[in-house]
């Protein structure tokens, strides 16, 4: 296992992945096979390609519209292209997750641009994962503009192959190869136009190739466990309250007092609560008459209560009434025909203008000098174009890549400080350092409905989104006050809606976000609130595991999910919702193998009793639910009690 090198033959192998290379005449994969379920399948391997003698190439760089491939010098079959690079050096080492192979490639002749490609592979020791990236260096004496870099190529068989390819780049890296029919390239989705002066280099995104499963739930479980290895910071979410309606300094301190009493672990002081505007980041004088001194005193007060506190802020938004916007309108993105962008919808400031340095300094000041525990970011980079010729991007093509690099660097600075990042950015942001992102709810729904219809609709979309990323890496929405015109309509006289709203947060493994100055409104809602906080804290390790989808919410029948975490004290928790005012029954098949139970095991389900699993590790449970009831049932091994 790991990496073996014998002359010009190289093998990368773990329990799930086998990839072999011949580097004698250009780098080429002569075999690429996967083994879903690892050794459970015995010695049966599935080929990623079979009829061809090798993959078309290992990497490719595009310059002036021409692809230069690091591949075999001479192709066979219907392909008449020739590889443009020789392997000049091979290095082997150890990475974070497993063995690392580096292939250094230079052009075979003078027709190839003066670039060196360093192709890096890491084969994980324990995970069903191979990662790959390319560093491009200019070794010539003149500037070279790189249009694109293809990091790898594979045949995915229209999704039939149990191989998931993802990256830490925000946007889809997959593109059908126009020449090598039925192969998929993994490259930047748009031309990047990166200009390299002599001696300069840049690195691509990380391309991750993971062996998964043809079963949708099993595939998501495998991937989510990989994500938590790649981004361990996502696995420790804090119960979070969001407030922006305090009108006095004392009220801000009272929020900390109540949070401490109620079991809240983090508070985000939302838009407009702390600063005169988004952009200048000047403390509101009505709340903080002594400016930063008062704000730091407030942060210290939260810390004395063991509450993490985050400010609402943005890396890309400057309000039109902010001084930085007024003085530096040229720091904005400049779109086609001179268009500027709405700061409330998209973010309007370009990192490659002096804004990038300005906002990094402002936000790191909040962390380093004022002591905030993280940043509640809004308006991240949403792929806006910029045609400004006085920003750092040398052309309009490289804006997207350079802005991704800026966020990668900035998020890295925050992660090094062990601070929290929450951000409405693409899922891949977790690999750069983001702790949480939106978990599938839609603000469009909040604009159109409230009460139980909003609660069930939100739960349904959250259910769907948990195939994509784990609950611990996301938040869902529970608006106790109006947001976009509606709320969950909390009420002491209609506790069912309140119960289902909080169940859709904590029962789905989310830690928030709970929006509104007050979290409950009397004895009834307070009891429900405390029930769900206690539930989340009791089963925190299980909820930070993976979610199995059992029955999708539709608003008129019971719906259900199951959380699994084989290493937790409670390896599984079942959560079942009855969304209507009448008794309901439901039978559920529980794939408890994902919780670590083996076929034939006896398990004990809270309030149900002992059941025996079939040979696959699955069991059937039948439940009766009272009107609007939510059942939370722990699942444990049914161990015999030792005799006295």
């Amino acid at each position: 296992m790991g990496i073996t090198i014998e002359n010009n033959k190289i093998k990368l192998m773990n329990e799930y992945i086998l990839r072999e290379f011949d580097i004698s005449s250009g780098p080429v994969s002569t075999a690429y096979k996967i083994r879903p379920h690892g050794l459970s399948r015995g010695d049966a391997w599935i080929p990623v390609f079979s009829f061809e003698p090798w993959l078309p190439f290992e990497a490719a760089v595009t310059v002036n519209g021409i692809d230069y491939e690091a591949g075999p010098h001479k192709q066979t079959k219907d392909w008449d292209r020739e590889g443009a690079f020789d392997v000049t050096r091979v290095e082997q080492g150890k990475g974070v997750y497993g063995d690392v192979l580096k292939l250094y490639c230079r052009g075979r002749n003078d027709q190839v641009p003066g670039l060196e490609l360093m192709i890096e592979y890491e084969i994980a020791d324990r995970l069903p994962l191979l990662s790959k990236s390319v560093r491009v260096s200019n070794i010539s004496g003149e500037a070279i503009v790189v249009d694109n870099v293809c990091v790898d190529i594979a045949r995915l068989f229209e999704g039939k192959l149990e191989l998931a390819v993802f990256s830490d780049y925000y946007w889809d890296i997959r593109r059908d190869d126009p020449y090598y029919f039925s192969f998929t390239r993994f490259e930047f989705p748009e031309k990047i136009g990166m200009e390299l002066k002599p001696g300069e280099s840049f690195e691509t995104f990380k391309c991750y190739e993971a062996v998964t499963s043809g079963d949708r739930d099993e595939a998501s479980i495998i991937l989510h466990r990989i994500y938590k290895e790649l981004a361990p910071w996502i696995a420790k979410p804090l119960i979070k309250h969001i407030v922006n309606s305090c009108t006095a300094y004392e009220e801000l301190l009272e929020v900390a007092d109540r949070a401490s009493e109620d079991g809240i672990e983090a508070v985000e002081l939302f838009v407009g609560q702390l600063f005169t505007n988004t952009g200048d980041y000047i403390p509101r004088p009505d709340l903080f008459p002594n400016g930063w001194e008062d704000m730091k005193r407030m942060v210290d007060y939260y810390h004395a209560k063991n509450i993490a506190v985050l400010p609402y802020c943005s890396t890309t938004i400057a309000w039109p009434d902010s001084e930085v916007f007024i003085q530096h309108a040229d720091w904005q993105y400049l779109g086609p025909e001179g268009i500027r962008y709405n700061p409330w919808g998209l973010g309007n400031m370009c990192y490659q203008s002096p804004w990038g340095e300005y906002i990094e300094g402002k936000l790191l000041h909040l962390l380093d000098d004022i002591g905030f525990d993280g940043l509640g970011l809004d308006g991240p980079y949403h792929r806006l174009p910029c045609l400004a010729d006085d920003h750092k991007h040398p052309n309009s093509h490289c804006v997207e890549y350079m802005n991704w690099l800026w966020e990668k660097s900035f998020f890295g600075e925050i992660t090094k400080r062990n601070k929290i990042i929450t951000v409405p950015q693409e899922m891949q942001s977790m690999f750069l350092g983001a702790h949480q992102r939106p978990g599938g709810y839609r603000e469009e729904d909040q604009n159109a409905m409230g009460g139980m219809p909003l609660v069930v609709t939100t739960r349904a979309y959250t259910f769907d989104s948990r195939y994509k990323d784990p609950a611990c890496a996301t938040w869902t929405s529970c608006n106790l006050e109006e947001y976009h015109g509606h709320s969950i309509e909390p009420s002491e006289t209609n506790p069912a809606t309140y119960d289902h709203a909080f169940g859709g947060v904590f029962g789905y493994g989310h830690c928030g976000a709970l929006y509104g100055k007050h979290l409950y409104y009397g004895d009834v809602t307070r009891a429900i609130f405390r029930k769900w906080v206690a539930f989340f804290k009791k089963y925190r390790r299980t909820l930070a595991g993976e979610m199995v989808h059992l029955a999708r919410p539709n608003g008129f029948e019971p719906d259900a999910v199951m959380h699994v975490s084989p290493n937790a004290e409670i390896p599984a928790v079942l959560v079942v919702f009855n969304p209507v005012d009448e008794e309901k029954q439901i039978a559920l098949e529980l794939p408890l193998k994902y919780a670590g139970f083996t076929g034939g095991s006896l398990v004990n389900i809270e309030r149900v009793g002992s059941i025996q699993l079939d040979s696959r590790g699955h069991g059937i449970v039948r439940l009766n639910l009272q009107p609007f009831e939510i059942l939370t049932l722990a699942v444990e091994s049914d161990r015999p009690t030792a005799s006295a």
Side-chain angles (χ1 to χ4, degrees):
M1 298 285 188
I3 297 174
T4 57
I5 301 176
E6 186 174 343
N7 297 321
N8 291 317
K9 310 290 186 182
I10 303 174
K11 179 188 288 187
L12 276 65
M13 183 178 179
N14 65 15
E15 185 179 339
Y16 308 92
I17 296 170
L18 169 63
R19 191 157 175 172
E20 296 178 342
F21 306 89
D22 186 329
I23 60 171
S24 57
S25 298
V28 58
S29 288
T30 54
Y32 189 4
K33 301 176 182 179
I34 62 174
R35 183 163 55 183
H37 303 288
L39 293 173
S40 300
R41 292 181 67 100
D43 199 34
W45 292 86
I46 297 173
V48 175
F49 66 93
S50 178
F51 292 107
E52 300 81 9
W54 45 59
L55 286 177
F57 54 78
E58 288 304 301
V61 61
T62 307
V63 177
N64 293 327
I66 301 173
D67 277 0
Y68 297 91
E69 298 170 358
H73 291 175
K74 186 66 177 175
Q75 294 282 13
T76 61
K77 296 177 71 69
D78 300 324
W79 305 335
D80 60 4
R81 291 184 177 178
E82 294 184 354
F85 292 86
D86 285 317
V87 177
T88 58
R89 189 163 93 249
V90 177
E91 291 182 359
Q92 184 177 358
K94 197 70 179 176
V96 175
Y97 306 102
D99 287 354
V100 171
L101 172 70
K102 296 180 180 180
L103 303 180
Y104 292 82
C105 305
R106 294 193 175 193
R108 294 172 57 198
N109 52 52
D110 293 340
Q111 304 302 311
V112 181
L115 298 171
E116 179 182 73
L117 307 184
M118 190 278 284
I119 310 171
E120 179 175 309
Y121 308 78
E122 183 172 1
I123 183 78
D125 294 332
R126 298 181 296 103
L127 304 172
L129 183 69
L130 172 69
S131 66
K132 189 177 178 185
S133 62
V134 178
R135 187 182 71 206
V136 182
S137 302
N138 184 350
I139 57 173
S140 76
E142 58 186 16
I144 299 175
V145 177
V146 176
D147 297 336
N148 211 327
V149 183
C150 181
V151 176
D152 208 354
I153 188 168
R155 180 173 281 159
L156 298 180
F157 295 93
E158 298 179 337
K160 298 182 181 71
L161 193 67
E162 294 162 295
L163 183 70
V165 180
F166 60 97
S167 77
D168 60 359
Y169 200 60
Y170 289 159
W171 304 286
D172 192 357
I173 62 170
R174 296 169 297 178
R175 185 169 73 88
D176 291 341
D177 193 288
Y179 181 79
Y180 299 107
F181 179 72
S182 77
F183 280 88
T184 300
R185 302 165 67 98
F186 309 122
E187 64 183 13
F188 292 101
E190 304 288 346
K191 180 179 179 180
I192 60 172
M194 280 299 292
E195 181 178 333
L196 293 179
K197 295 182 174 63
E200 291 184 338
S201 63
F202 73 91
E203 293 190 7
T204 65
F205 50 82
K206 280 276 191 183
C207 180
Y208 297 103
E209 301 174 23
V211 181
T212 59
S213 168
D215 179 273
R216 193 179 184 191
D217 258 312
E218 186 168 67
S220 71
I221 288 169
I222 292 169
L223 286 172
H224 294 180
R225 289 174 179 171
I226 291 173
Y227 297 165
K228 280 174 260 190
E229 293 283 346
L230 299 177
W233 43 82
I234 67 175
K236 298 178 181 179
L238 302 176
I239 298 174
K240 184 177 176 182
H241 182 199
I242 295 180
V243 177
N244 74 334
S245 54
C246 295
T247 58
Y249 182 83
E250 291 71 24
E251 286 186 57
L252 290 168
L253 303 187
E254 289 169 4
V255 169
D257 293 336
R258 290 196 301 270
S260 179
E261 295 168 3
D262 291 334
I264 296 295
E265 297 165 335
V267 172
E268 179 180 334
L269 299 169
F270 200 45
V271 57
Q273 182 64 83
L274 297 178
F275 306 110
T276 55
N277 60 59
T278 298
D280 295 333
Y281 295 99
I282 298 171
R284 281 175 52 179
D286 58 323
L287 299 179
F288 308 101
N290 296 310
W292 293 115
E293 180 184 345
D294 285 346
M295 188 172 288
K296 186 174 189 331
R297 186 158 51 90
M298 178 203 70
V299 170
D300 291 343
Y301 188 86
Y302 275 76
H303 291 166
K305 298 286 183 177
N306 291 317
I307 305 296
V309 58
L310 290 76
Y312 168 92
C313 49
S314 175
T315 53
T316 61
I317 294 174
W319 288 358
D321 62 347
S322 64
E323 194 64 25
V324 67
F325 180 96
I326 294 168
Q327 295 293 327
H328 301 288
D330 57 324
W331 291 2
Q332 297 181 85
Y333 291 107
L334 178 63
E337 301 181 14
I339 190 174
R340 300 293 189 180
Y341 295 94
N342 183 340
W344 289 281
L346 296 168
N348 56 324
M349 308 300 282
C350 180
Y351 298 144
Q352 305 311 315
S353 73
W355 166 265
E357 184 177 349
Y358 165 88
I359 194 61
E360 181 175 12
K362 286 283 186 181
L363 299 185
L364 292 182
H365 165 70
L366 297 177
L367 301 178
D368 297 341
D369 302 321
I370 308 306
F372 283 105
D373 299 283
L375 302 174
L377 293 176
D378 197 2
Y381 178 54
H382 287 300
R383 215 174 182 179
L384 291 177
C386 189
L387 304 179
D389 57 12
D390 58 348
H391 294 182
K392 291 180 182 177
H393 43 76
N395 56 68
S396 61
H397 299 294
C398 61
V399 175
E400 181 179 298
Y401 171 68
M402 291 183 69
N403 281 347
W404 171 78
L405 277 181
W406 189 96
E407 287 198 0
K408 180 180 180 180
S409 173
F410 180 64
F411 287 6
E413 286 296 319
I414 300 173
T415 303
K416 282 192 297 187
R417 290 164 165 79
N418 292 317
K419 301 286 187 174
I420 300 166
I421 308 169
T422 65
V423 59
Q425 184 57 280
E426 279 74 11
M427 183 201 79
Q428 293 86 342
S429 61
M430 76 171 79
F431 306 123
L432 305 187
H435 290 65
Q436 291 181 317
R437 61 181 292 274
Y441 66 91
R442 302 193 321 150
E443 294 190 11
E444 288 82 355
D445 300 319
Q446 298 168 354
N447 190 52
M449 67 181 83
M452 188 65 89
L454 175 61
V455 168
V456 174
T457 300
T458 296
R459 192 163 74 241
Y461 289 135
T462 305
F463 179 97
D464 297 339
S465 295
R466 292 295 65 75
Y467 287 109
K468 186 174 184 179
D469 43 6
C472 61
T474 62
W475 73 80
T476 189
S477 180
C478 181
N479 296 331
L480 297 152
E481 295 176 0
E482 285 192 0
Y483 190 71
H484 295 308
H486 295 85
S487 73
I488 66 166
E489 300 173 6
S491 168
E492 282 282 294
T493 57
N494 178 24
T497 299
Y498 182 94
D499 192 21
H500 276 249
F502 276 75
V505 176
F506 297 116
Y508 265 43
H510 298 281
C511 61
L514 312 175
Y515 173 72
K517 184 188 293 187
H518 300 288
L519 294 171
Y520 46 81
Y521 302 88
D523 292 342
V524 174
T525 50
R526 178 171 55 199
I528 295 171
F529 169 80
R530 290 182 173 174
K531 173 190 73 173
W532 282 113
V533 169
F535 167 84
F536 185 86
K537 291 186 175 182
K538 180 177 181 179
Y539 299 116
R540 185 189 293 269
R541 283 200 63 196
T542 314
L543 299 172
E546 293 73 47
M547 194 173 92
V548 180
H549 300 71
L550 300 177
R552 188 181 188 273
N554 60 20
F556 57 89
E557 294 172 321
D559 56 272
V561 298
M562 182 172 67
H563 301 277
V564 295
S565 181
N567 295 322
E569 182 179 355
I570 305 296
V573 176
L574 178 63
V575 185
V576 188
F577 297 79
N578 180 5
V580 295
D581 191 14
E582 60 182 276
E583 289 188 27
K584 290 286 184 178
Q585 298 79 41
I586 189 171
L588 298 167
E589 181 177 352
L590 309 180
L592 285 162
K593 62 184 178 183
Y594 300 132
F597 294 104
T598 57
S601 297
L602 282 174
V603 300
N604 185 274
I605 301 177
E606 185 180 358
R607 296 175 57 179
V608 173
S610 179
I611 66 170
Q612 185 167 22
L613 306 184
D614 66 17
S615 60
R616 302 170 301 157
H618 290 220
I620 302 292
V621 64
R622 291 176 172 81
L623 302 169
N624 293 312
L625 294 100
Q626 296 303 307
F628 294 121
E629 184 177 13
I630 305 174
L631 288 175
T632 59
L633 308 175
V635 183
E636 301 179 78
S637 176
D638 193 5
R639 306 180 188 91
T641 304
S643 57

